[in-house]
Amino acid sequence: MMKKFKKIYVEITNQCNLTCAFCPRSQRPAQAMTVPFFTGILQKIKKYTDYLCFHVMGEPLMHPELGAFLDISHEKGFKVNITTNGTLVKYLGPVIAPKRALRQINISLHCHKGNGLGGLDDRYIGDIISFVKSIQREKRPIVCLRLWNLPENGDTVDNRGILQRIDREFGCDVNLADHAKMNEGIKISDNVFLSCAAEFDWPGFDKQDRGTTGFCHGLRDQMAVLVDGTVVPCCLDAQGALALGNIVRMPLEDILQSPRARSIYEGFSKRAVVEELCRKCGYRARFDLIQKQR
């Protein structure tokens, strides 16, 4: 039986206009997919998912062909989620919002950290709020405002300014600064949500080893295609360290049946972490916590 993923990440570019403190810089050559290359990728993954996420490394709104990519995605029958730092949404938001393929835009407000974008910076948060208000009438696409920079105790003090601004602009039913909680979404309007979560360590061979027992949805619910066609198990493999094969040169079915891919998948099925990079992934620790809470 063919594996169908809940979503496949497609890295349309690995270039970004920010240097976020929490995000590793890609050591891979700077690159962006062309229209023919992107179209070819969609042909190869069509039967494996209905949902795409334009995200791994890089800022998707920097891609000059983003509008065309969304049109092609619609033609091929895909729905698309985009994750952006929000700095370009003033310019690109009105262009991409009407695109029929676009299902959701995730805006990482925590990108202000380490970039000189203060919590109350009018040019940053103001442009984002203006964009969100402009699409509220249409009730699409879905917008998720992310603040994924909370300390482990869930304290929102560092985000109080942003939360108060959102509260004031949208007239929320609750005081966001007091009610925003870890891993709980808050509905701001029919198509606008706030998501708060802890900051996590991106996986890296120099990071803390979290042991050989655990779980991840990589290769189970998701996988990723990097900008050069390399297939990796998840969207956090910034350097392509867990390369399983290249979809340009190999059928995806063969890549997913490769010994390394099977080892990763079967390992997680048994709650065993077989790859060193996965053992050193801070995001995977969230799944371990969920298992403990059950």
Side-chain angles (χ1 to χ4, degrees):
M1 181 176 175
M2 184 194 69
K3 174 69 179 176
K4 191 110 173 179
F5 295 97
K6 290 183 178 179
K7 54 191 173 184
I8 292 180
Y9 290 85
V10 178
E11 184 186 61
I12 62 173
T13 178
N14 62 355
Q15 302 168 75
C16 189
N17 59 340
L18 294 182
T19 54
C20 296
F22 59 85
C23 185
R25 301 297 292 176
S26 175
Q27 303 303 312
R28 294 175 280 125
Q31 195 173 343
M33 288 186 179
T34 63
V35 168
F37 189 90
F38 176 77
T39 303
I41 294 295
L42 296 200
Q43 300 268 48
K44 294 172 182 294
I45 66 176
K46 172 55 188 167
K47 65 181 182 180
Y48 290 90
T49 192
D50 298 319
Y51 294 92
L52 306 177
C53 298
F54 290 175
H55 174 58
V56 178
M57 300 301 293
E59 169 51 53
L61 267 63
M62 288 181 63
H63 201 296
E65 300 288 355
L66 178 57
F69 282 8
L70 288 169
D71 289 337
I72 294 167
S73 297
H74 176 67
E75 292 169 7
K76 301 294 184 183
F78 292 100
K79 291 296 183 182
V80 178
N81 291 357
I82 291 177
T83 297
T84 171
N85 59 40
T87 56
L88 301 175
V89 77
K90 174 181 179 180
Y91 309 101
L92 273 297
V95 176
I96 65 174
K99 298 295 185 181
R100 296 175 66 183
L102 186 58
R103 173 185 174 272
Q104 181 168 325
I105 302 177
N106 303 311
I107 303 179
S108 300
L109 298 180
H110 47 277
C111 287
H112 68 79
K113 183 178 180 181
N115 285 291
L117 303 170
L120 288 174
D121 188 295
D122 285 337
R123 291 172 298 175
Y124 178 62
I125 191 69
D127 287 348
I128 291 171
I129 288 173
S130 294
F131 165 69
V132 173
K133 285 185 173 182
S134 73
I135 64 172
Q136 277 186 297
R137 293 185 299 274
E138 304 299 326
K139 297 184 179 179
R140 68 160 304 278
I142 298 168
V143 176
C144 181
L145 302 174
R146 290 179 172 178
L147 282 170
W148 287 10
N149 61 348
L150 274 61
E152 290 186 1
N153 63 9
D155 195 336
T156 62
V157 63
D158 290 342
N159 296 319
R160 189 163 291 271
I162 289 179
L163 291 169
Q164 289 175 341
R165 177 75 180 273
I166 295 172
D167 201 351
R168 185 168 66 250
E169 295 281 356
F170 294 101
C172 300
D173 294 334
V174 298
N175 185 315
L176 295 181
D178 294 332
H179 288 82
K181 297 180 180 179
M182 187 93 74
N183 300 325
E184 287 188 11
I186 295 178
K187 183 177 180 180
I188 293 175
S189 68
D190 285 343
N191 65 318
V192 183
F193 299 84
L194 172 70
S195 171
C196 293
E199 183 173 334
F200 63 89
D201 280 337
W202 280 67
F205 293 112
D206 60 338
K207 299 297 180 65
Q208 173 191 349
D209 193 315
R210 299 174 182 271
T212 58
T213 302
F215 178 77
C216 180
H217 294 280
L219 293 182
R220 188 172 306 274
D221 294 339
Q222 58 160 290
M223 51 160 273
V225 181
L226 302 183
V227 68
D228 65 349
T230 297
V231 174
V232 293
C234 79
C235 64
L236 294 177
D237 190 351
Q239 314 306 340
L242 300 183
L244 303 173
N246 192 295
I247 199 170
V248 176
R249 296 187 289 271
M250 294 176 61
L252 183 54
E253 181 178 1
D254 291 349
I255 293 173
L256 296 175
Q257 291 300 321
S258 67
R260 190 176 198 181
R262 294 306 307 169
S263 176
I264 293 170
Y265 181 90
E266 291 168 5
F268 283 131
S269 297
K270 302 172 184 176
R271 301 302 187 264
V273 187
V274 300
E275 290 281 351
E276 179 184 358
L277 190 70
C278 299
R279 297 201 306 269
K280 297 181 176 181
C281 176
Y283 194 87
R284 185 184 58 76
R286 294 185 177 188
F287 304 129
D288 295 341
L289 179 62
I290 292 172
Q291 293 294 324
K292 291 177 181 178
Q293 291 173 341
R294 287 178 175 173

